[in-house]
Amino acid sequence: MTDIATRTQDILERLGAGDPFTPDGDLVSRSPIDGSELGRLRSHTAAEASDVIGRAQQAFEQWRTVPAPVRGQYVRELGNLLREHKDDLGALVSIEAGKIVSEGLGEVQEMIDICDLAVGLSRQLHGLTIATERPGHRMMEQWHPLGVVGVISAFNFPVAVWSWNAALAFVCGDAVVWKPSEKTLLTALACQALAAEAGRRAGVPEGLSAVLVGDRTVGEVLVDDPRVPLVSATGSTRMGKEVAPRVAARLGRSLLELGGNNAAIVAPSADLELAVRGIVFSAVGTAGQRCTSLRRVIVHESIKDDLVARLKAAYETLSIGSPLESSTLVGPLIDESAYAGFEKAVAQAQSDGGELVTGGTQAEVEGDGFYVRPAIIDMPKQSDIVKAETFAPLLYVLTYTELDEALALHNEVAQGLSSAIFTLDVREAETFMSVVGSDCGIANVNIGTSGAEIGGAFGGEKETGGGRESGSDAWRSYMRRATNTVNYSTELPLAQGVEFG
Ligand code: NAD
């Protein structure tokens, strides 16, 4: 057994997940750090998955009657356990998803933050009281629990995405059945162990939180089951295009968080030092494997050479290697297919006339992991490869003369998740955030595209899927709205002045 495998087993033990491995399991769990096998797990069959959904449905029927502020106590317990186990869960994220230590811990912090938000929210699930046209009447809306929420998640945020959904869903009175990525099952089982412990402490019904182990076929059980009124799916646009019509075919709801192709405009007035820091973190953080990773820089022609030279210099000092080393800034890609995608995109961009400024090759790191030197490619135009999301640290540079041109390039892609402008000109900043500016769900000024806080609604437009999770009023997606009109008079006036009889 490798050191990483031993460490993984110790962590799973401490998190209460025991030994989840079965030697004849059909799924192999690997660490991208060195490609080593951590163990094998067995997928749920479709019949088992259906039973899990059935138990969640029963749990929901009890849970929905618990007052929301009392439901909040469950999420408080979960948040407390996450605080207690932050180091272990963060390390497991590093081992399984390849994130550097600080980003693994950051992901767990995000879970703690959303639990805090949800606990507060449990006393704020409010509807409106609306003026009625009829005397002696009152009209109001109530938000009721929805049912079993199916959560499908991607490998790159193996724990935070579940918590964004689950913390809100639990206080909203729902049950959650989670189908995590088949590439990051251990972190999911660890979260489920913590959720189960929180459930024991708070006395919640059995089966309120459950995990389904398996690949997309197990995800499809959730997608097709009419007992699941909401499917919240995070992953590639390809996946969303398969999931959404299937959920729609049974008139269920889906909340989609799909791919991004995020850009930053760098205007002539930009604070270049700050812009370089923002760009580098967004483009190479998590080895370019965030949905919000920066993939395109659209820079004004007057400062292009200066910006590109500064970015090149910054890229060439990046430490690439095991994410468990405290000095590392760029860890591995998740697997060989991610590496192949990177290599192919670098070659395609060059054949489209792009000039490789730096990186673009494999980095030698001990073991069988897939590490790359983050690439910058100066493009003569926005060719098809630039318009596609390559899930790796690959940054294209495009040049503009007038802001309108930059905005057109910015919005020309199919995805609409995150965006940024670096400028000190208030007209440019406001235009970028206005209706004629960025068409994304997130539009930042003097900040990179990644690293959102949980207080805001998170998500994007167009092929990113249109869903919103996390803060603001995103909780409404996890509830159903009832409009109630109450007549406290002795008359029965009809709306719109209708006379009847
Ligand atoms: P993926 O689409 O390959 O898989 C995501 C999940 O969907 C997995 O659990 C997978 O098993 C499941 N799945 C795939 N096809 C399915 C189907 N037909 N029915 C049911 N389930 C199915 O994505 P990935 O490679 O794990 O993650 C990377 C992608 O996720 C990138 O495109 C990234 O931008 C996106 N992402 C988006 C957000 C966001 O919030 N917008 C966040 C994280 C990742």
Side-chain angles (χ1 to χ4, degrees):
M1 193 179 281
T2 64
D3 286 353
I4 292 180
T6 313
R7 187 165 170 206
T8 301
Q9 293 207 339
D10 291 345
I11 292 174
L12 287 171
E13 200 63 49
R14 285 198 294 273
L15 291 172
D19 178 0
F21 301 114
T22 34
D24 58 351
D26 55 313
L27 293 172
V28 179
S29 157
R30 288 187 189 284
S31 172
I33 296 177
D34 59 0
S36 62
E37 183 174 320
L38 301 171
R40 300 179 83 91
L41 294 115
R42 193 180 67 78
S43 295
H44 281 105
T45 63
E48 287 169 339
S50 179
D51 286 350
V52 169
I53 295 168
R55 282 196 292 279
Q57 170 68 24
Q58 284 169 4
F60 161 71
E61 280 165 21
Q62 258 182 277
W63 186 239
R64 66 182 175 178
T65 63
V66 174
V70 180
R71 299 195 294 248
Q73 297 308 312
Y74 170 41
V75 176
R76 181 195 298 276
E77 293 289 357
L78 180 61
N80 288 345
L81 285 164
L82 288 165
R83 278 190 174 83
E84 200 180 306
H85 294 285
K86 181 176 174 184
D87 288 351
D88 271 339
L89 190 56
L92 198 57
V93 169
S94 295
I95 289 171
E96 205 177 31
K99 293 194 179 191
I100 62 170
V101 173
S102 170
E103 288 183 298
L105 291 171
E107 190 168 341
V108 183
Q109 185 58 47
E110 203 168 334
M111 302 174 83
I112 295 167
D113 294 343
I114 192 77
C115 286
D116 285 352
L117 183 136
V119 174
L121 193 62
S122 70
R123 292 180 183 272
Q124 293 283 313
L125 301 170
H126 53 265
L128 299 173
T129 300
I130 301 152
T132 91
E133 64 190 52
R134 287 170 281 184
H137 283 55
R138 185 166 65 83
M139 184 158 52
M140 65 172 188
E141 58 186 22
Q142 293 188 81
W143 290 87
H144 291 311
L146 186 62
V148 178
V149 175
V151 176
I152 295 174
S153 63
F155 78 85
N156 67 319
F157 273 94
V159 292
V161 166
W162 168 72
S163 69
W164 289 359
N165 285 283
L168 296 194
F170 291 142
V171 299
C172 289
D174 302 329
V176 175
V177 177
W178 178 21
K179 209 303 282 173
S181 166
E182 53 276 35
K183 297 176 186 175
T184 51
L185 292 166
L186 302 182
T187 41
L189 295 172
C191 289
Q192 173 58 19
L194 296 178
E197 176 57 25
R200 280 188 287 276
R201 292 183 187 181
V204 309
E206 277 296 303
L208 189 73
S209 172
V211 168
L212 294 178
V213 173
D215 62 12
R216 54 182 292 172
T217 52
V218 177
E220 283 165 9
V221 176
L222 267 183
V223 166
D224 292 336
D225 196 313
R227 293 170 298 177
V228 181
L230 171 68
V231 175
S232 173
T234 298
S236 58
T237 295
R238 177 203 58 74
M239 177 276 287
K241 285 182 174 173
E242 288 165 10
V243 165
R246 288 176 73 149
V247 177
R250 60 173 175 87
L251 302 182
R253 291 189 206 164
S254 42
L255 192 170
L256 301 172
E257 296 282 354
L258 310 175
N261 188 353
N262 317 297
I265 295 174
V266 187
S269 66
D271 173 339
L272 274 194
E273 209 229 292
L274 183 140
V276 167
R277 281 174 24 221
I279 290 169
V280 174
F281 171 69
S282 289
V284 311
T286 324
Q289 299 169 107
R290 289 194 188 206
C291 49
T292 51
S293 287
L294 181 65
R295 314 215 175 272
R296 301 175 294 141
V297 161
I298 304 168
V299 57
H300 191 263
E301 57 184 2
S302 63
I303 52 165
K304 179 196 166 180
D305 289 347
D306 191 3
L307 180 74
V308 171
R310 289 180 193 228
L311 287 174
K312 181 176 189 312
Y315 267 51
E316 287 174 1
T317 62
L318 290 171
S319 49
I320 303 162
S322 167
L324 300 176
E325 299 291 333
S326 58
S327 58
T328 298
L329 290 178
V330 184
L333 295 180
I334 189 73
D335 57 18
E336 185 169 9
S337 78
Y339 173 69
F342 174 77
E343 222 183 6
K344 203 167 146 204
V346 170
Q348 182 61 51
Q350 286 177 286
S351 87
D352 292 350
E355 187 194 318
L356 189 63
V357 175
T358 184
T361 54
Q362 192 160 13
E364 288 308 318
V365 175
E366 207 184 319
D368 294 327
F370 291 90
Y371 292 79
V372 296
R373 289 180 202 293
I376 300 178
I377 305 186
D378 184 3
M379 296 300 294
K381 63 180 190 321
Q382 187 150 259
S383 61
D384 287 349
I385 192 68
V386 182
K387 293 185 198 163
E389 179 195 48
T390 298
F391 217 54
L394 175 45
L395 183 66
Y396 301 108
V397 177
L398 299 157
T399 314
Y400 79 92
T401 310
E402 300 294 336
L403 186 62
D404 282 354
E405 192 192 334
L407 289 171
L409 278 171
H410 180 279
N411 292 346
E412 201 191 18
V413 300
Q415 311 83 348
L417 180 52
S418 185
S419 61
I421 190 167
F422 288 92
T423 182
L424 299 181
D425 180 329
V426 73
R427 287 182 181 152
E428 286 183 337
E430 290 290 338
T431 303
F432 181 74
M433 290 184 289
S434 78
V435 63
V436 298
S438 163
D439 62 2
C440 291
I442 298 169
N444 295 334
V445 176
N446 293 328
I447 303 177
T449 52
S450 64
E453 293 178 29
I454 55 96
F458 181 90
E461 302 301 330
K462 304 194 291 185
E463 287 196 357
T464 301
R468 292 296 186 278
E469 285 176 355
S470 202
S472 184
D473 61 355
W475 59 270
R476 292 181 176 187
S477 296
Y478 303 86
M479 303 198 87
R480 63 181 177 84
R481 182 192 331 228
T483 302
N484 308 123
T485 308
V486 179
N487 178 3
Y488 59 91
S489 74
T490 54
E491 305 297 320
L492 193 65
L494 302 178
Q496 296 89 39
V498 170
E499 301 276 353
F500 197 77

